[in-house]
Amino acid sequence: MLQSSKRYEKGVEDYLDWAFATKAIGDQISCPCKLCYHRFWHRRDKVFNHLIANGIQPGTEALNTEMNTEGIPDDMDHLIYDTHRDFVERFTHNNEEVGNEPNAEAKKFYKLIEDGKEELYPGCKTFSKLSFLIRLFLLKCIHGLTNNAFSEILDLIRELLPEAKLPKSFNEANKLVKDLGLHYDKIDACRNDCMLYWKDHEADTFCHVCQAPRWKESENQGGNQVTNTSHKVPAKVIWYFPLKPRLQRIYMCSETAELMRWHDEKRDKDELLRHPADGQAWKEFDRLYPNFSREARNVRLGLASDGFNPFRTMSTQHSTWPVVLINYNLPPWLSMKSEFLMLSTLIPGPTSPGNEIDVFLQPLVEELLDLWEYGSDTYDASKNQTFKMHVALRSTTSDFPGYAMLSGWSTKGKFACPYCHYETGYRSLCKSCYLANRRFLDANHPWRYDVKSFDGEKEERTAPSRLTGTEILSLSQNWENKFGKLLPKQNNKDCPWRKLSIFFRLPYWKDNMCRHHLDVMHIEKNICDSVLGTLLDIPGKTKDNHKARLDLQKMGIRKELHPVESDDDRYVFLPKASFSMTKKEKSIFCGVLKKVKLPQGTGSNISRCVQVNEGEISGYKSHDAHIIMQHLLPAAVRKALPKHVALPLIRLSAFFKAICIESSIQKISIAFKQKLVKLFVSLKEYFHHLFLTSWSTYRFIWSKK
């Protein structure tokens, strides 16, 4: 049973009524969710949210049987009917179109009906042949079983139950259940990422851009490359998972269909920001496109993409890029759950698609365009009616390099900040520096005129205004996109554009207020690496190096930090900064992280990453960096650093905690920006070289909040 279903919510309410009547201490009870499991005490609203999001621990006292998700029989008839609803309705209303012989779709339907009614073994009342295979496939997906492991499990079950009517291998089982699943398309691509062999070019055998052959080649006896004519293997293939049937499948279930209207019917409409629908961008889109917003069942999606190594080894450099769609119609505690994320495109490696990612996004964008303009007839099981479903893509989410790939704006060099665009405060010293952070302060703020503490100049400019979608289109109206790994790279340092993003083919894309978002976890990990590396002076990770001190010298500021050469010119001494720690202070700092004890499930064993004697921290993951930045760093710096140096880092920790909270008041969020400007300027005052190269990214974070 879904944790968001009415039956489950009713069971949660009944349990909470009983628990707060008999077990409460004050206004709190011990939370029985799967993560807390009676270790933490919370108020009723928070316990309710935990039980909806995490589920209830089996065996909980006074557990309502309505909440028990085990032992519920599989409804094969409804599953088969929902999968082939179009065929059943056509058969019911158009009997005259049916001939003596059933067509291919009818044969699939009848075969599924037969397998759904066939007993797994004589006398079995728990599983049918089809329901057992579906449950086995579910376990394969959850636990990552290989195809060979699946086949061996089938062999083991047949040895245990010789009379069981099971297929002999994974391939045979897959043939039985594939008609219940959702199909995908394999599209050949140029090996140099120039084009897809798709639509008008589907039958081509050579790339029309670089003339590379479509098929893999092998060497003959003479050492020449030849194409195998007997068995042609494409040089590169992408997997595309059509969006339309996946969204229609969501509405086939009455419970999920009802959840798709949550953002309009059940969302608390107050001043709190809990969901994208509470934000100004969502409301502005509704104002510009009232016909779309009038139907609450129309779908709003987000897109996320990043590279990963599928071979689970760091010794092999391989980057496969999945493109995942996020359903923003759902409640916030469900929209990011794995079962509601939709894989749209799988772009194979071994290298990142880079600027050519638009080539692989063509099928998705074309389907999004079709769903926006024409929609799709979709059956809503919760209302027992068919409606015209339209879809809109709201934004993308990625790390900072991924932002450049998806938006077309280069995030390196002179115009690295997408928010400041052509007005980015860039200076090329020993490294690229971004110094215009004081532009965001109030006009009369004294830091604007502080020459010694910053870049040696007064700051009298106002904050830049962001580029709108209409302005971007006007700036790039004559831009011609050219894709392909073999094409010469454009090295025009005065032009920040690398392409016109494919998303501008969508007629509404220019009107999205927030077209691209940054992933907080990536940014938090990078900042954690920089802060810890600089504080502990870890070689290769510290930002306080010789080049950073030379930059201060060239700008004519912080004379007390300028590098000093020895009398014989053989050595260069770097004076200690205000945040430099002695060996004892490093030991205290690392000792705090080493001795920390986290609740089970909160994070990994961070102490294994800390070497107290060496004064180093290494090997922690992104979630560990999240815990360190938001919870552990304030305690560590308070013990080891002077108050005036520790305070900005404590406020930095509070900043990340603030942008990760479940809800916030919109008016406070607007005032919060001014505090953030002062925070980053104060960080730059004490950690000047740490924030010289990174300011553009940090500024962009809060500009999107």
Side-chain angles (χ1 to χ4, degrees):
M1 185 195 305
L2 287 173
Q3 292 169 198
S4 52
S5 65
K6 288 185 176 180
R7 290 174 58 197
Y8 185 85
E9 290 186 9
K10 178 64 167 57
V12 170
E13 293 288 356
D14 292 343
Y15 171 80
L16 293 179
D17 290 341
W18 171 84
F20 275 91
T22 60
K23 301 289 186 180
I25 298 179
D27 59 348
Q28 296 183 345
I29 64 168
S30 59
C31 180
C33 78
K34 291 182 179 179
L35 292 183
C36 296
Y37 195 37
H38 299 289
R39 291 177 293 144
F40 306 106
W41 290 68
H42 301 300
R43 293 183 175 86
R44 180 173 181 130
D45 56 345
K46 194 163 187 177
V47 175
F48 179 83
N49 291 338
H50 279 206
L51 293 178
I52 295 296
N54 305 327
I56 195 166
Q57 181 69 25
T60 301
E61 185 180 5
L63 177 64
N64 192 320
T65 56
E66 290 292 312
M67 299 169 63
N68 186 8
T69 60
E70 298 180 1
I72 298 178
D74 297 313
D75 193 350
M76 284 294 106
D77 291 340
H78 278 83
L79 177 61
I80 298 170
Y81 175 79
D82 286 341
T83 304
H84 295 273
R85 179 181 298 277
D86 292 340
F87 162 75
V88 176
E89 291 180 352
R90 288 201 308 270
F91 179 82
T92 304
H93 296 98
N94 302 299
N95 286 328
E96 66 277 4
E97 297 181 5
V98 181
N100 295 328
E101 289 292 329
N103 58 21
E105 188 176 0
K107 290 180 180 178
K108 293 178 183 178
F109 177 75
Y110 294 137
K111 183 66 169 62
L112 288 173
I113 290 291
E114 181 183 343
D115 291 336
K117 293 181 178 180
E118 186 177 5
E119 293 180 342
L120 178 61
Y121 56 85
C124 179
K125 304 299 181 183
T126 308
F127 288 103
S128 66
K129 175 182 176 180
L130 184 62
S131 66
F132 180 79
L133 287 176
I134 291 174
R135 188 69 63 85
L136 206 57
F137 268 92
L138 179 62
L139 293 177
K140 179 184 186 300
C141 296
I142 293 175
H143 300 289
L145 299 177
T146 64
N147 296 349
N148 289 335
F150 189 94
S151 299
E152 291 183 6
I153 291 174
L154 290 176
D155 292 339
L156 179 62
I157 296 174
R158 284 202 309 275
E159 288 183 18
L160 178 66
L161 299 170
E163 65 275 16
K165 302 171 183 178
L166 290 175
K168 296 181 180 179
S169 65
F170 167 79
N171 290 333
E172 289 187 16
N174 194 37
K175 290 178 182 178
L176 291 174
V177 301
K178 68 178 182 180
D179 293 329
L180 281 175
L182 297 165
H183 73 284
Y184 63 88
D185 299 326
K186 296 172 71 173
I187 305 174
D188 295 352
C190 171
R191 65 186 67 196
N192 298 315
D193 299 348
C194 304
M195 58 167 282
L196 295 178
Y197 295 98
W198 179 61
K199 297 180 66 175
D200 294 340
H201 300 286
E202 187 174 0
D204 291 357
T205 57
F206 287 87
C207 173
H208 65 79
V209 178
C210 67
Q211 305 305 314
R214 177 175 182 171
W215 315 108
K216 286 185 177 180
E217 298 171 326
S218 58
E219 291 187 2
N220 60 12
Q221 293 180 354
N224 298 319
Q225 296 288 333
V226 295
T227 301
N228 188 347
T229 56
S230 61
H231 182 65
K232 296 180 180 180
V233 179
K236 193 167 189 175
V237 180
I238 70 165
W239 286 260
Y240 178 65
F241 303 83
L243 175 61
K244 187 184 302 182
R246 283 159 175 78
L247 293 177
Q248 290 174 332
R249 181 66 63 89
I250 292 177
Y251 280 102
M252 286 180 181
C253 174
S254 59
E255 295 173 351
T256 55
E258 186 175 353
L259 286 171
M260 292 292 283
R261 305 191 304 273
W262 178 92
H263 67 94
D264 182 65
E265 298 177 357
K266 294 187 177 182
R267 174 176 57 90
D268 293 332
K269 300 177 182 179
D270 49 24
E271 292 185 350
L272 293 179
L273 295 171
R274 305 185 185 87
H275 185 270
D278 298 317
Q280 187 60 35
W282 187 295
K283 296 174 183 176
E284 179 66 14
F285 191 88
D286 286 351
R287 186 187 68 81
L288 294 174
Y289 298 97
N291 292 334
F292 179 84
S293 60
R294 194 174 293 119
E295 175 57 79
R297 291 173 291 188
N298 286 336
V299 184
R300 307 181 197 231
L301 300 174
L303 182 147
S305 186
D306 195 9
F308 77 103
N309 187 342
F311 300 108
R312 299 182 180 181
T313 172
M314 298 304 293
S315 61
T316 303
Q317 291 188 354
H318 191 103
S319 183
T320 293
W321 282 68
V323 178
V324 179
L325 295 175
I326 306 165
N327 191 339
Y328 285 137
N329 282 42
L330 296 171
W333 57 85
L334 292 178
S335 60
M336 297 302 293
K337 293 286 187 180
S338 59
E339 54 265 34
F340 289 105
L341 296 176
M342 293 175 286
L343 179 62
S344 171
T345 309
L346 190 62
I347 306 172
T351 59
S352 165
N355 206 45
E356 283 72 28
I357 193 172
D358 284 10
V359 173
F360 305 109
L361 291 176
Q362 290 179 85
L364 172 61
V365 171
E366 181 166 300
E367 189 171 13
L368 286 171
L369 185 60
D370 179 72
L371 287 170
W372 170 262
E373 293 181 347
Y374 305 107
S376 174
D377 291 332
T378 304
Y379 176 76
D380 183 351
S382 65
K383 291 190 174 184
N384 195 25
Q385 62 180 216
T386 299
F387 73 102
K388 186 73 74 173
M389 177 186 65
H390 294 266
V391 180
L393 181 67
R394 289 196 65 249
S395 60
T396 70
T397 303
S398 62
D399 57 6
F400 206 46
Y403 178 96
M405 295 169 53
L406 294 170
S407 70
W409 181 278
S410 175
T411 54
K412 298 178 181 178
K414 186 176 180 179
F415 303 107
C417 179
Y419 185 85
C420 296
H421 46 86
Y422 293 98
E423 301 180 46
T424 301
Y426 169 82
R427 184 181 296 184
S428 179
L429 300 169
C430 292
K431 54 184 177 181
S432 299
C433 302
Y434 304 93
L435 306 170
N437 49 311
R438 289 182 292 161
R439 295 181 63 180
F440 293 84
L441 291 169
D442 294 332
N444 298 322
H445 200 284
W447 281 346
R448 280 181 169 268
Y449 308 98
D450 188 348
V451 176
K452 295 182 180 180
S453 300
F454 297 98
D455 57 5
E457 298 177 0
K458 293 181 181 180
E459 183 57 80
E460 297 179 344
R461 297 173 296 174
T462 58
S465 58
R466 72 176 66 184
L467 289 174
T468 64
T470 304
E471 290 172 336
I472 292 174
L473 280 178
S474 64
L475 288 170
S476 54
Q477 59 182 350
N478 297 323
W479 188 275
E480 182 181 358
N481 286 337
K482 295 181 180 179
F483 298 114
K485 297 290 188 183
L486 299 183
L487 293 178
K489 293 185 178 180
Q490 301 176 1
N491 294 321
N492 188 354
K493 296 182 179 179
D494 294 325
C495 179
W497 297 104
R498 296 295 176 262
K499 64 181 177 182
L500 177 63
S501 174
I502 192 174
F503 296 118
F504 279 102
R505 294 185 188 177
L506 303 173
Y508 54 85
W509 187 253
K510 66 181 185 303
D511 298 317
N512 279 337
M513 289 182 63
C514 294
R515 293 177 293 277
H516 304 281
H517 298 269
L518 291 178
D519 178 19
V520 176
M521 293 294 285
H522 280 87
I523 305 301
E524 201 169 25
K525 174 67 162 59
N526 293 338
I527 294 179
C528 185
D529 290 343
S530 297
V531 170
L532 294 181
T534 302
L535 292 178
L536 297 174
D537 195 23
I538 301 175
K541 295 184 178 181
T542 178
K543 299 294 183 180
D544 184 20
N545 49 37
H546 187 211
K547 288 186 177 181
R549 298 296 182 93
L550 289 176
D551 288 342
L552 299 181
Q553 189 173 9
K554 288 182 179 181
M555 289 188 290
I557 60 175
R558 306 288 183 86
K559 293 183 180 180
E560 70 278 5
L561 297 178
H562 292 180
V564 179
E565 294 185 359
S566 62
D567 295 336
D568 55 2
D569 295 335
R570 294 178 59 189
Y571 303 100
V572 176
F573 299 100
L574 302 181
K576 294 292 184 182
S578 58
F579 56 83
S580 299
M581 292 190 288
T582 64
K583 187 174 182 179
K584 182 179 179 181
E585 289 171 335
K586 290 181 182 180
S587 179
I588 295 173
F589 183 93
C590 293
V592 174
L593 302 181
K594 185 75 173 179
K595 297 176 182 178
V596 68
K597 300 294 184 182
L598 298 175
Q600 185 178 2
T602 303
S604 64
N605 184 13
I606 296 178
S607 62
R608 62 178 171 79
C609 305
V610 182
Q611 293 82 41
V612 177
N613 296 332
E614 293 81 3
E616 292 186 1
I617 303 175
S618 61
Y620 54 88
K621 305 299 182 182
S622 294
H623 187 72
D624 298 331
H626 170 77
I627 298 297
I628 292 172
M629 283 298 300
Q630 295 194 19
H631 303 285
L632 306 183
L633 182 65
V637 298
R638 191 181 293 116
K639 290 279 188 179
L641 292 176
K643 182 178 180 180
H644 68 283
V645 180
L647 190 58
L649 293 174
I650 295 173
R651 289 174 177 168
L652 178 65
S653 174
F655 158 63
F656 278 108
K657 190 177 295 186
I659 66 174
C660 294
I661 58 176
E662 294 179 356
S663 63
S664 63
I665 300 177
Q666 192 166 359
K667 294 180 180 178
I668 293 179
S669 296
I670 295 173
F672 190 47
K673 289 186 178 181
Q674 284 298 319
K675 294 183 179 180
L676 291 179
V677 175
K678 296 177 182 179
L679 164 62
F680 287 130
V681 175
S682 65
L683 281 167
K684 201 166 183 180
E685 183 177 5
Y686 294 108
F687 302 88
H688 199 283
H689 27 276
L690 175 60
F691 287 88
L692 278 176
T693 59
S694 309
W695 169 254
S696 62
T697 303
Y698 305 155
R699 177 169 59 223
F700 193 59
I701 298 172
W702 66 256
S703 69
K704 288 296 184 184
K705 174 60 179 171

